[in-house]
Amino acid sequence: MNKKIAIFLIGILSTTFISGCSFIDNFGKSQKIARFVTDEKIARASIIQPTAEIEILDLSKENLSIILTKSAIATAKDSAYVMPQTNGKVSSMRVSNGSSVNKGTILMTLGDSLSTDISQIQYETALKTLDLSRTSQFITGDSSVRTIEISALGVKTAYESYQNAINSRYNAENIYDEQYSGAKITRNSTKNTKNTLEDTLSKLEKTISSLETQKATILETLDQLTQNDPPYSDLSAAMKEINSLLAEAKTQKSTLESNIKSIKDGLKQADNGLDILEVSFEAQKTQLEFAIFAAEKQYEIAIKQFEISTNAAELQNIGLQTQILQLDSAAKMAELSNNQKNITSPIKGIITELSATKNNFVSLGQPVAKVEDPETLLIKTAVNSKEIEFLTLNQSVDITYGSKKISGKITSINPSINDYTKKINIEITANNTGNIPLGSLVKIEIPITTNQIFIPLNSLYNNNEGQFVKIINDDKVEFVKVEIGEIIGTYIEITSGLKGSEQLVSSPNSTLEENEIVTIKK
């Protein structure tokens, strides 16, 4: 190869010398001519130089997806320092660094101190007092129930007496009505009989009068006749019959008059009986009304007594319940105070810090342990004012630690810029499905979609004239001067120079020259 180059150079020099051409003063130009001559020679020698194969970024897509990358420390979303609520000496330890705990798990116990002993005594006393009060409530409640039952029985008895008095009046009225109605019917019947007999007597008296008139007529006729006269015997027989009828009629009249007199006496007795029945019923009615009134008042008194007993029992029960509530509250307070000797975890998680040891004395409010829940991560980072334009709450985020990768979301965006960093703080929350250790430095990748023109930072290069990018136009490299804006992660905004339809050389090769023909990787 060296021999070929030497022969080639000798040929060039010889040719230049023979033609009488002078050397080119500008060294750069001579190099360009030499390269051109060389290319021509190679072309003539039918030696084919392969074109460069490059990767491009097609800006003609409607939206360009870029990745905003940040680094931050992964912390626990839920963490808590454990502090005792009383003074005391650690009598037992139940956990160590790295132990998994649940909410309420006892981490250590305090004892062998005056404050813990007093809490225990107060708690036991409160429980005994509460138990005695509940027993008293049971006994008093049982007594109250019996009193109420007796009062209720009194109400029932008084009500029955009241109903019996009403029923007695009702029955008396019915009996009076029946008796008065029967006596009235008997009196009316007697009166009707009297009237009938009086009518019969009147008719009988008329019959007697008629018979006497006939008798007088016959007597007068007989006085005018002699016994030998033919009618005399007939008239004598008629007279005899009339006398018989008169005697019978007078006897009936006497009987009727006697009967009428008896009936009148009976009718008078019937009227007197009705009067006596009315007077007797009115007296009985007055007594019954008074009995109803007395029974009603007794019933009302029984109801009042029942209400008084019930209210008294209720008030007594309320008083006892209030006392029990107060004692129960005191017992719970004593229990809380006593339970303060058991130092528990306020959350679920793992022990990441443990400063107390057995037999150490700890004070109220002194941090003795830290618990963190590794299941949910909280990652805090900051972005600039341009980057924040592309972020929203609940936006998805990828979190990477080594080979472990999990997904999260933006859960907090500070509404103001930090005065010192001039950036905006954001918080990301993620379920730690990849078991990323707490305190690890993780990589955060936030996919951003925008219709603005952003290109990779390594696609931009500088020279004395400004910033340039290389694009492909008809399979040739073209240099385009651009104006730049904000940087987002590993991307930079192009504010002018590109239209957004170009094919950009994504990883520019320093050997690529303008107008150089290239091949695009598929």
Side-chain angles (χ1 to χ4, degrees):
M1 183 70 181
N2 292 335
K3 288 181 181 180
K4 287 183 179 181
I5 294 173
I7 294 170
F8 174 73
L9 291 175
I10 292 171
I12 292 295
L13 291 174
S14 300
T15 304
T16 305
F17 179 76
I18 293 170
S19 61
C21 296
S22 61
F23 286 98
I24 301 172
D25 340 288
N26 189 291
F27 184 70
K29 186 184 289 187
S30 65
Q31 283 186 324
K32 187 173 182 182
I33 293 172
R35 186 169 64 249
F36 173 76
V37 174
T38 302
D39 291 340
E40 287 294 323
K41 293 291 184 181
I42 293 173
R44 289 193 188 100
S46 298
I47 299 174
I48 300 174
Q49 183 69 29
T51 58
E53 190 176 34
I54 63 168
E55 294 180 354
I56 65 164
L57 179 63
D58 190 354
L59 300 182
S60 63
K61 294 181 180 179
E62 182 178 353
N63 291 317
L64 176 66
S65 294
I66 61 178
I67 304 297
L68 174 60
T69 304
K70 298 288 179 179
S71 295
I73 302 297
T75 62
K77 180 178 180 291
D78 295 324
S79 64
Y81 282 98
V82 182
M83 294 175 283
Q85 301 300 309
T86 186
N87 301 325
K89 186 169 69 173
V90 179
S91 60
S92 66
M93 294 289 298
R94 303 193 184 186
V95 294
S96 58
N97 267 320
S99 296
S100 295
V101 296
N102 291 317
K103 183 178 180 179
T105 299
I106 298 176
L107 309 182
M108 61 193 75
T109 302
L110 305 182
D112 300 329
S113 67
L114 179 61
S115 59
T116 55
D117 292 342
I118 290 174
S119 296
Q120 182 67 30
I121 293 170
Q122 289 176 339
Y123 176 55
E124 292 175 355
T125 302
L127 285 180
K128 289 179 180 178
T129 305
L130 179 61
D131 186 57
L132 287 173
S133 181
R134 283 174 175 164
T135 302
S136 175
Q137 183 190 32
F138 176 76
I139 295 172
T140 305
D142 186 62
S143 176
S144 298
V145 168
R146 292 181 182 276
T147 302
I148 291 172
E149 287 177 348
I150 293 171
S151 298
L153 182 59
V155 171
K156 181 181 178 183
T157 302
Y159 178 74
E160 290 175 351
S161 298
Y162 176 59
Q163 288 296 323
N164 289 336
I166 293 174
N167 291 334
S168 295
R169 183 185 66 179
Y170 176 75
N171 293 333
E173 287 176 347
N174 288 337
I175 292 172
Y176 166 75
D177 289 341
E178 290 177 0
Q179 290 177 346
Y180 188 84
S181 177
K184 195 79 172 175
I185 290 171
T186 301
R187 178 190 176 281
N188 290 337
S189 178
T190 303
K191 187 176 180 180
N192 291 335
T193 302
K194 179 183 79 71
N195 292 336
T196 301
L197 290 176
E198 286 177 346
D199 289 343
T200 302
L201 179 61
S202 177
K203 290 178 181 179
L204 186 60
E205 287 177 345
K206 288 180 180 180
T207 299
I208 291 171
S209 178
S210 176
L211 288 172
E212 286 179 345
T213 300
Q214 290 179 10
K215 179 181 176 182
T217 301
I218 290 172
L219 285 175
E220 185 179 354
T221 302
L222 286 174
D223 286 341
Q224 294 175 3
L225 296 176
T226 63
Q227 292 183 351
N228 292 323
D229 290 332
Y232 187 85
S233 60
D234 292 333
L235 289 172
S236 295
M239 176 62 75
K240 186 176 180 180
E241 185 178 356
I242 288 172
N243 285 333
S244 175
L245 290 173
L246 275 173
E248 185 180 354
K250 288 179 179 180
T251 300
Q252 288 181 0
K253 178 182 177 184
S254 178
T255 303
L256 282 174
E257 288 175 345
S258 177
N259 288 340
I260 288 171
K261 183 176 181 303
S262 297
I263 288 173
K264 286 182 176 180
D265 292 339
L267 187 60
K268 185 176 182 181
Q269 289 178 357
D271 289 337
N272 291 336
L274 287 173
D275 293 338
I276 292 170
L277 187 61
E278 288 180 355
V279 172
S280 177
F281 175 70
E282 287 299 325
Q284 186 182 14
K285 185 177 178 183
T286 301
Q287 292 178 351
L288 291 172
E289 291 290 345
F290 179 77
I292 291 173
F293 173 77
E296 184 179 13
K297 291 301 178 184
Q298 190 63 37
Y299 176 54
E300 291 175 355
I301 291 171
I303 291 176
K304 292 294 182 183
Q305 187 62 40
F306 175 76
E307 291 176 350
I308 291 170
S309 299
T310 304
N311 292 335
E314 186 175 354
L315 288 173
Q316 191 174 31
N317 186 49
I318 291 172
L320 287 171
Q321 284 184 346
T322 302
Q323 182 182 7
I324 288 174
L325 286 174
Q326 291 173 346
L327 291 173
D328 185 60
S329 177
K332 288 179 179 177
M333 292 296 293
E335 182 181 12
L336 288 174
S337 178
N338 185 55
N339 287 341
Q340 286 175 354
K341 66 183 182 181
N342 293 323
I343 302 175
T344 59
S345 174
I347 62 170
K348 177 186 175 183
I350 58 174
I351 304 295
T352 56
E353 294 180 20
L354 193 62
S355 58
T357 58
K358 186 176 180 180
N359 296 325
N360 276 1
F361 187 86
V362 295
S363 302
L364 172 67
Q366 173 189 341
V368 294
K370 184 179 182 181
V371 182
E372 297 181 276
D373 185 1
E375 292 185 359
T376 305
L377 298 180
L378 177 65
I379 302 169
K380 298 179 180 180
T381 187
V383 295
N384 60 38
S385 57
K386 183 65 177 180
E387 294 169 340
I388 197 65
E389 295 177 5
F390 303 98
L391 305 184
T392 59
L393 287 174
N394 296 316
Q395 187 171 345
S396 297
V397 173
D398 292 327
I399 302 160
T400 306
Y401 173 72
S403 60
K404 298 177 179 180
K405 187 173 183 179
I406 61 175
S407 297
K409 288 185 178 181
I410 298 175
T411 52
S412 175
I413 299 176
N414 197 304
S416 58
I417 297 176
N418 187 289
D419 291 336
Y420 298 101
T421 63
K422 303 303 180 184
K423 291 189 175 184
I424 300 167
N425 296 325
I426 66 170
E427 292 182 0
I428 298 166
T429 304
N431 292 329
N432 193 8
T433 54
N435 294 322
I436 296 175
L438 298 178
S440 301
L441 181 65
V442 296
K443 179 182 177 182
I444 304 166
E445 295 180 323
I446 308 175
I448 295 174
T449 301
T450 177
N451 54 9
Q452 299 178 22
I453 300 176
F454 280 85
I455 66 171
L457 277 169
N458 60 2
S459 298
L460 184 73
Y461 74 96
N462 301 324
N463 61 22
N464 294 334
E465 297 180 9
Q467 288 82 25
F468 287 83
V469 295
K470 297 177 182 180
I471 65 172
I472 304 303
N473 191 2
D474 294 331
D475 294 332
K476 290 183 180 180
V477 177
E478 181 179 336
F479 292 4
V480 178
K481 186 177 181 180
V482 295
E483 298 292 332
I484 59 174
E486 298 289 339
I487 296 175
I488 296 182
T490 58
Y491 289 79
I492 188 167
E493 181 185 13
I494 302 300
T495 58
S496 67
L498 294 178
K499 298 178 180 179
S501 58
E502 295 85 354
Q503 291 182 323
L504 178 72
V505 178
S506 59
S507 299
N509 188 334
S510 60
T511 61
L512 291 177
E513 298 291 342
E514 191 167 13
N515 293 321
E516 182 175 346
I517 298 175
V518 294
T519 301
I520 298 173
K521 281 185 179 182
K522 300 299 183 181

